[in-house]
């Protein structure tokens, strides 16, 4: 059955503020598709973001939406989820927001394993502020603040999430929207902290400075780099040079989920209290 | 006078920090997020112990910024929330304190003040964050900050902070200092009949007619809770009544003015103070927090020597008791303003007095309280030669 | 501030557990003796190993100024804390130092050398009880709060199952001080 996208959107807020051809549209559409597949109620779902182009997404979504401060989306989301553990909380963020200014919150959210989903739209650049390099800008690339080429090493966001303890980690790319939706759906369904990195295009800020100023060229460039995990497993290290592996990269159903643990803690404390009260004459 | 109690059999012996935590629970707080910092850490420890007992949630976050973010998020999900910190952590929280002002999200921030700037004196007294409490976050914004001096008053002021947060939809501040935070004092826990509990006003209209910043309901618009069908949008950007961003200069100005007005129109009621031996006073000592306790002893000592001096002790620092200072400036010939900083609140006394008169500070920043004798000497000096 | 204001200071280095003495004393005075009391600790940045103290003030009137102004009794278990906290003492203050750890003290004050830690180790068995022995010494020397109230408060504050041992420590303090008073007093 076709998804009624407008049902999930605040239609009166359209047209959106993103550049034509921006990859974030693919992500938002995939997100709605995934929510629809899972049958989540709009009233039961909160979408939280920080600052940046991607972080404008919640404004268009007809849910409980929270556009917070730069890098802090996960901290607000943690409060929302801990206060309402039976509700759904999704965080959508960019590479700079999630892993530079929000890097500390990112690794600790992974460590805690609260049942939330973080979607990072990784376009390798700070788009909204005018194209400065981010923690994922490739070596040598041009940005507003790397006019002589980028010398900053970059993060592998998926590996960072796995290392920090996220219990579902996947990476997709905007050239393959179907898989992006699948990873988001699986991440939302996963009971624990899930991270989905989506490689995306910012032809306006990144592409323009790096000879890919139209969306098609830039999405083609992304597509040329990605290798699905099952294919990558059969490739040699030489063949994988310069490639980015996509797919479900990590899943751990064993680690306890945090709100479950906290609920058990409350039960434990209250049982002890009741026992004490009972023991009193 | 708040330190007295009638029935000594029912007293508890609590640290100031414990008083805050217990009062928060009495106020209905069911969510705490924090980060360890001296000298406020005991508040977190008590909340970690007590909140699960009442079905509430405690979470220790990765940093101060995160703790502030978490209490805003939890407040939007309907909880009464607070966090506690000290100077360096207060600095870090400023970003999201501004967010709570802008998005009009109720929450309480406790700052047990210690020596500064920077790491300063982690285990020692200061009262040097009073201007930061007012102006610490960028941009124009409303502030309510209470600075109690006695443990029973700390209890009641903590509850008031929650009430004001809920009533005005703002982050309110409770300013203690290291001396009060660590001081154990026997108190009789106030009976619930002695205070009111205020809960935020929720919308009376159905979701399709709800706007989160609808001033047709007054300067403090009703606040919906997430997941209850209202599906509203919250942002730190300037926004219109619908909660969505706008850059329209007229709307931005109107909304910012409403945010300030909602508090300042009640400034006089909010600005609580205690007058002590002020009736015929010719010199007024103006003080707050633990310093005001030493100031009171100094006033008694000076009275013994026939000096007509009284104490005006601010319980609310923000909004500042402008009118009271204005009136007093026409009664007394001088103000003495002891504070454990190099002269912050004295600037407000000067401003609010609207009079060229002797207004003299007694200041220390070494981490120790101002001894009553030092305040007494200044009173004597001022009473004698006006300066 | 009434004429009956009593101020005591117990000082040590962090980790010696001296805070308990202050807790029990203040609690006994207010809860059982019906007077007013406050207890106010001072920490240094490092919780363990730095000089620490706890001040107790007991008065017949509500205590307005919560800091010491004229200390009646000062006890120190370490040179560092002795040096750091020897202030606000009345001229007639009683001072107790542990001679194994405090070697240099000011003869201006009436000072008793009592090896509190060693005594505790030998007669109570647990060094953590030093603070309770110190409290017993103080009570015997000053009679600041009647013994029965101190004992009641101690039993209430002591961890479960340690009541007897705590009383033993308290009595050791009484006895040690009583002997001193007889010999030196």
């Amino acid at each position: 059955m076709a998804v009624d996208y407008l049902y999930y959107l605040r239609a009166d807020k359209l047209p959106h503020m993103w550049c034509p051809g921006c990859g974030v549209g693919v992500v938002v559409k995939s997100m709605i598709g995934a929510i629809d597949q899972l049958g989540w109620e709009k009233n039961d779902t909160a979408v939280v973001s920080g600052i940046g182009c991607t972080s404008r997404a919640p404004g268009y979504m007809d849910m409980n939406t929270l556009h917070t401060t730069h890098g802090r989306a996960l901290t607000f989301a943690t409060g929302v989820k801990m206060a309402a553990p039976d509700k759904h909380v999704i965080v959508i963020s960019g590479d700079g927001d999630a892993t530079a200014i929000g890097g500390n919150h990112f690794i600790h959210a992974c460590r805690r394993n609260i049942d939330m989903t973080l979607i990072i739209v990784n376009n390798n650049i700070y788009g909204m502020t005018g194209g400065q390099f981010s923690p994922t800008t490739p070596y040598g690339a041009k940005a507003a603040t790397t006019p002589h080429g980028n010398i900053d090493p970059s993060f592998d966001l998926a590996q960072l999430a796995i290392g920090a303890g996220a219990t579902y980690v996947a990476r997709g790319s905007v050239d393959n929207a179907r898989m992006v939706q699948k990873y988001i759906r699986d991440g939302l369904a996963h009971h624990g902290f899930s991270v989905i990195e989506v490689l995306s295009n910012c032809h306006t800020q990144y592409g323009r400075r790096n000879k890919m100023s139209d969306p098609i060229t830039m999405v083609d460039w992304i597509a040329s780099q990605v290798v699905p995990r099952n294919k990558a497993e059969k490739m040699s290290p030489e063949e994988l040079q310069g490639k980015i592996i996509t797919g479900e990269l990590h899943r751990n159903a064993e680690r306890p989920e945090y709100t479950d643990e906290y609920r058990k803690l409350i039960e434990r404390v209250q049982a002890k209290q009741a026992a004490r009260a009972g023991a009193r004459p | 006078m708040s330190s007295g109690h009638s029935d000594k059999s029912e007293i508890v012996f609590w640290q100031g920090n414990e008083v805050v935590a217990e009062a928060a629970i009495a106020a209905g707080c069911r969510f705490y997020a924090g980060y360890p910092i001296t000298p406020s850490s005991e508040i977190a420890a008590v909340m970690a112990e007590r909140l699960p007992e009442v079905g509430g949630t405690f979470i220790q976050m990765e940093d101060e910024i995160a703790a502030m973010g978490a209490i805003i998020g939890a407040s939007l999900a309907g909880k009464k929330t607070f966090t506690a910190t000290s100077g360096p952590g207060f600095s870090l929280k400023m970003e999201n304190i501004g967010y709570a002002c802008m998005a009009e999200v109720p929450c309480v921030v406790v700052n047990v003040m210690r020596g500064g700037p920077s790491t300063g004196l982690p285990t020692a007294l200061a009262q040097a964050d009073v201007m930061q409490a007012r102006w610490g976050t960028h941009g124009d914004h409303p502030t309510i900050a209470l600075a109690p001096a006695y443990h029973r008053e700390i209890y009641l002021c903590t509850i008031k902070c929650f009430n004001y947060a809920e009533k005005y939809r703002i982050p309110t501040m409770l300013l203690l200092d290291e001396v009060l935070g660590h001081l154990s004092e026997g108190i009789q826990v106030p009976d619930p009949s002695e205070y009111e509990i205020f809960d935020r006003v929720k919308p009376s209209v159905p979701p399709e007619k709800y706007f989160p910043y609808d001033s047709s309901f007054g300067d403090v618009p009703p606040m919906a809770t997430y997941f209850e069908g209202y599906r509203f949008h919250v942002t730190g950007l300037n926004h219109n009544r619908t909660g969505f961003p706008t850059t329209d200069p007229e709307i931005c100005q109107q909304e910012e003015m409403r945010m300030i007005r909602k508090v300042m129109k009640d400034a006089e009621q909010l600005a609580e103070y205690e007058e002590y031996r002020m009736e015929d006073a010719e010199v007024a000592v103006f003080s707050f927090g633990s310093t005001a306790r030493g100031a009171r002893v100094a006033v008694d000592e000076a009275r013994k020597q026939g000096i007509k001096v009284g104490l005006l002790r601010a319980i609310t620092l923000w909004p500042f008791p402008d009118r009271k200072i204005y009136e007093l400036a026409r009664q007394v010939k001088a103000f003495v303003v002891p504070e454990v900083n190099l002269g912050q609140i004295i600037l407000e006394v000067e401003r609010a007095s609207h009079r060229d008169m002797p207004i003299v500070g007694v200041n220390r920043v070494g981490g120790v309280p101002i001894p009553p004798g030092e305040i007494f000497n200044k009173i004597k000096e001022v009473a004698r030669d006006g300066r | 501030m009434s004429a009956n204001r009593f101020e005591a200071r117990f000082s040590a280095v962090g980790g010696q557990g001296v805070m308990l003495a202050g807790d029990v004393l203040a609690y006994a005075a207010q809860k059982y003796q019906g007077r007013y009391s406050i207890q106010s600790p001072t920490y240094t940045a490092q919780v363990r190993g730095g000089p620490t103290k706890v001040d107790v003030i007991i008065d017949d009137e509500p205590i307005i100024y919560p800091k010491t102004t004229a200390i009646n009794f000062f006890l120190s278990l370490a040179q560092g804390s002795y040096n750091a906290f020897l202030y606000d003492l009345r001229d007639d203050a009683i001072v107790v130092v542990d001679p194994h750890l405090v070697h240099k003290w000011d003869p201006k004050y009436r000072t008793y050398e009592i090896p509190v830690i060693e005594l505790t180790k030998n007669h109570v068995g647990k060094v953590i009880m030093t603070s309770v022995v110190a409290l017993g010494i103080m009570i015997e020397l000053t009679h600041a709060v009647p013994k029965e109230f101190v004992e009641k408060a101690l039993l209430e504050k002591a961890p479960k199952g340690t009541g007897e041992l705590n009383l033993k420590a308290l009595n050791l303090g009484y006895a040690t001080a009583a002997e001193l008073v007889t010999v030196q007093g």
Side-chain angles (χ1 to χ4, degrees):
Chain A
M1 213 173 71
V3 179
D4 179 3
Y5 290 98
L6 279 179
Y7 170 76
Y8 294 95
L9 291 171
R10 290 171 172 142
D12 61 320
K13 302 300 169 214
L14 299 173
H16 59 69
M17 49 76 72
W18 297 305
C19 304
C22 177
V24 76
V26 170
V27 180
V28 171
K29 188 177 176 186
S30 304
M31 204 170 140
I32 291 174
I35 290 169
D36 188 76
Q37 271 183 301
L38 293 169
W40 283 9
E41 292 291 335
K42 296 191 290 185
N43 282 339
D44 295 341
T45 307
V47 187
V48 186
S49 68
I51 294 294
C53 291
T54 299
S55 291
R56 290 302 186 93
Y60 303 114
M61 306 189 70
D62 185 18
M63 298 174 194
N64 304 280
T65 54
L66 180 52
H67 176 224
T68 73
T69 43
H70 198 16
R72 319 299 176 207
L74 283 166
T75 73
F76 286 68
T78 298
V80 173
K81 180 69 181 181
M82 289 299 287
D86 57 335
K87 306 298 180 190
H88 311 298
V89 179
I90 308 169
V91 177
I92 181 162
S93 188
D95 42 305
D97 192 46
T99 68
I101 191 165
N104 197 32
H105 312 308
F106 174 63
I107 57 173
H108 287 276
C110 292
R111 172 179 66 82
R112 247 177 236 121
N113 197 34
I114 296 179
D115 184 14
M116 305 191 288
T117 298
L118 169 65
I119 300 164
I120 307 175
V121 179
N122 179 4
N123 59 14
N124 314 103
I125 201 91
Y126 285 89
M128 186 168 271
T129 45
Q132 298 81 6
F133 76 97
S134 86
T136 60
T137 301
Y139 187 85
K142 294 274 175 66
T145 46
T146 57
H148 311 295
N150 179 32
I151 59 163
D152 263 44
S154 56
F155 268 146
D156 179 328
L157 300 190
Q159 288 306 322
L160 183 61
I162 294 167
T167 47
Y168 175 92
V169 180
R171 183 189 283 130
S173 55
V174 290
D175 61 294
N176 192 342
R178 222 161 53 90
M179 293 312 284
V180 170
Q181 181 167 326
K182 181 194 179 302
Y183 301 140
I184 293 178
R185 186 198 62 205
D186 290 355
L188 296 181
H190 173 76
H191 189 59
F193 190 69
S194 50
V195 178
I196 294 104
E197 177 189 359
V198 184
L199 305 175
S200 185
N201 59 304
C202 178
H203 45 279
T204 306
Q205 296 293 5
Y206 185 86
R208 182 165 55 88
R209 292 185 175 83
N210 293 280
K211 303 192 177 88
M212 299 178 281
S213 55
D214 69 286
I216 309 282
T217 310
M218 200 170 171
V219 172
D220 283 347
W221 172 71
I222 292 168
S224 73
Q225 295 175 84
V226 296
V227 178
R229 185 180 156 184
N230 53 4
K231 202 170 156 194
E233 278 161 2
K234 295 177 199 119
M235 290 166 69
S236 69
E238 293 75 36
E239 288 172 309
L240 284 170
Q241 224 16 271
K243 299 290 182 192
I244 304 170
I245 299 168
T246 55
E248 180 184 312
L249 303 176
H250 179 71
R251 190 193 276 269
N252 177 350
E254 308 302 311
R255 276 189 64 207
E257 191 275 329
Y258 194 88
T259 62
D260 287 346
E261 289 295 295
Y262 199 80
R263 185 175 35 77
K264 283 188 246 167
L265 183 148
I266 290 180
E267 286 166 7
R268 229 167 36 232
V269 170
Q270 294 190 341
K272 234 192 251 172
Q273 250 183 319
R276 264 204 308 269
R280 262 183 229 131
Chain B
M1 229 338 275
S2 318
S3 66
H5 49 78
S6 48
D7 183 359
K8 284 177 187 169
S9 63
E10 287 177 40
I11 56 136
V12 291
F13 216 76
W14 282 341
Q15 247 192 24
N17 285 339
E18 284 177 277
V19 176
V20 171
E22 291 293 343
I25 287 171
C29 170
R30 291 296 178 269
F31 189 99
Y32 178 95
Y35 183 81
I37 187 164
T38 306
S40 73
S41 294
E42 293 84 1
I43 297 175
V46 177
M47 293 312 281
E49 173 98 30
R50 293 278 283 118
L51 274 173
E53 294 179 2
V54 295
T57 304
F58 168 91
I59 188 165
Q60 182 169 308
M61 295 299 287
E62 57 273 17
D63 60 32
E64 298 276 4
I65 300 167
M68 193 64 215
I71 67 164
I72 297 171
S75 181
L76 286 163
K79 303 283 185 194
K80 286 189 185 179
T81 69
F82 94 109
T83 185
T85 189
S86 299
F90 200 45
S91 294
L92 287 166
K93 288 191 192 299
M94 285 303 159
E95 175 193 42
N96 284 339
I97 287 174
Y99 185 92
C101 291
M102 187 56 143
E104 301 184 59
V105 183
C107 55
V108 177
V109 182
V110 180
N111 177 10
V112 184
M113 291 183 283
R114 70 188 219 187
S118 189
T119 314
L121 295 164
T123 57
L125 164 75
Q127 296 179 307
D129 307 345
V130 291
M131 284 297 175
Q132 187 186 21
R134 177 65 192 89
W135 297 111
T137 193
H138 58 279
D140 286 303
H141 56 275
T143 302
I144 295 176
L146 307 186
Y150 300 94
H151 280 29
R152 207 179 139 76
E153 192 174 85
I154 292 173
Y155 194 96
L156 294 169
C157 280
T158 303
I159 292 173
K160 274 183 194 160
C161 277
F162 280 95
N163 287 347
Y164 292 152
E166 294 282 314
K167 184 175 176 188
Y168 295 102
R169 289 185 64 176
I170 58 165
T172 56
M173 320 229 175
L174 183 74
L175 299 176
L176 298 191
D177 55 52
E178 188 276 335
V179 165
L180 292 173
H182 281 158
L183 178 74
S184 290
E185 192 164 56
I187 65 160
Q188 195 178 29
V189 179
D191 187 80
S193 65
E194 291 177 58
Y195 51 82
E196 277 178 83
I197 298 286
F198 190 94
D199 296 329
R200 65 189 71 167
V201 175
K202 289 197 171 190
S204 53
V205 296
E208 62 275 15
K209 291 199 175 132
Y210 176 69
F211 299 108
Y213 305 99
D214 188 347
S215 58
S216 67
F217 291 92
D219 285 338
V220 187
M223 183 177 171
T225 301
Y226 274 176
F227 310 118
E228 290 185 356
Y230 284 85
R231 299 200 304 273
F232 56 104
H233 185 60
V234 180
T235 179
L237 288 165
N238 276 77
H239 45 264
N240 58 24
R241 70 186 187 124
T242 67
F244 287 91
T246 181
T247 51
D248 181 315
E250 210 162 304
I251 295 173
C252 291
Q253 175 151 336
Q254 270 171 20
E255 283 296 288
E256 278 207 42
M257 286 173 69
R258 176 182 61 76
M259 274 171 24
I260 309 287
R261 186 173 63 235
K262 70 180 178 181
V263 171
M264 291 315 287
K265 73 179 178 194
D266 290 345
E268 265 185 59
Q269 285 154 258
L270 290 166
E272 285 185 61
Y273 49 80
E274 181 198 57
E275 289 179 273
Y276 180 71
R277 307 185 85 163
M278 282 301 302
E279 313 77 54
D280 60 341
E282 289 168 4
V283 174
V285 179
F286 181 88
S287 194
F288 61 94
S290 69
T291 301
R293 297 175 67 150
R296 187 174 137 145
V297 171
V299 165
D300 284 342
E301 201 50 44
R303 280 279 177 179
K304 271 185 211 156
Q305 302 205 2
I307 301 170
K308 288 184 174 169
V309 57
L311 170 67
L312 181 70
R313 179 171 68 85
I315 299 167
T316 307
L317 279 182
W318 308 112
F320 195 72
D322 282 20
R323 175 177 291 245
K324 187 68 205 172
I325 295 289
Y326 181 88
E327 286 168 7
L328 269 185
R330 272 127 204 101
Q331 175 194 327
V332 300
K333 59 177 193 185
F335 282 98
V336 174
V337 187
E339 49 185 329
V340 187
N341 59 53
L342 291 178
Q344 296 188 16
I345 275 298
I346 195 171
L347 302 172
E348 289 297 299
V349 179
E350 287 169 1
R351 177 188 61 74
S353 70
H354 289 280
R355 207 190 132 191
D356 184 14
M357 64 190 291
I359 299 175
V360 189
V362 185
N363 308 92
R364 277 204 181 205
V365 285
V368 292
I370 305 173
E374 216 164 293
I375 302 169
F376 167 77
N377 288 341
K378 190 59 77 178
I379 293 169
K380 220 163 86 174
E381 215 177 289
V382 167
R384 194 183 55 227
D385 46 45
R387 201 164 271 280
Chain C
M1 248 182 251
S2 81
N4 289 329
R5 181 164 164 130
F6 175 86
E7 301 183 352
R9 172 171 295 164
F10 299 89
S11 71
V13 293
Q16 285 183 324
V18 83
M19 297 297 163
L20 180 68
D23 253 352
V24 173
L25 179 61
Y27 191 70
Q30 182 138 4
K31 176 103 190 235
Y32 295 112
Q33 201 186 7
R35 300 172 77 193
Y36 293 88
S37 67
I38 62 110
Q39 185 256 87
S40 154
T42 296
Y43 306 95
T44 43
Q46 67 275 42
V47 171
R48 304 191 80 81
T52 59
K53 73 167 162 67
V54 56
D55 290 339
V56 176
I57 303 172
I58 301 169
D59 205 336
D60 294 337
E61 294 170 3
I63 294 157
I64 304 302
Y65 185 61
K67 288 290 177 180
T68 54
T69 51
I71 289 172
N72 305 69
F73 177 87
F74 175 60
L75 175 134
S76 179
L77 298 180
Q79 189 72 56
S81 69
Y82 181 91
N83 299 346
F85 301 125
L86 189 80
Y87 60 84
D88 280 350
L89 268 65
R90 292 160 61 108
D91 288 342
D92 63 352
I94 296 172
V95 177
V96 172
V97 296
D98 188 319
H100 293 320
L101 293 164
V102 182
H103 306 290
K104 277 188 176 167
W105 43 267
D106 187 345
K108 176 179 155 193
Y109 300 104
R110 179 151 55 113
T111 303
Y112 296 103
E113 287 187 314
I114 306 176
V116 191
I117 296 168
E118 190 183 68
L119 277 171
T120 310
K121 213 186 290 177
N122 294 345
H123 298 283
V124 186
K126 287 193 170 160
V127 183
I128 193 74
M129 297 284 176
T130 303
S131 164
V132 181
V133 178
L135 178 63
I137 291 169
M138 187 228 106
I139 292 294
E140 187 66 41
L141 291 175
T142 64
H143 303 289
V145 177
K147 286 180 184 173
E148 53 170 313
F149 299 140
V150 177
E151 285 152 24
K152 264 171 120 171
L154 179 62
L155 288 175
E156 211 179 312
K157 287 265 171 189
K160 233 194 191 158
T162 65
E164 211 138 296
L165 202 60
N166 271 285
L167 284 183
K168 189 177 173 187
L170 192 67
N171 281 313
L172 173 66
Y174 295 158
T176 306
E179 216 169 292
L180 272 177
V181 173
T182 324
V183 177
Q184 303 186 357

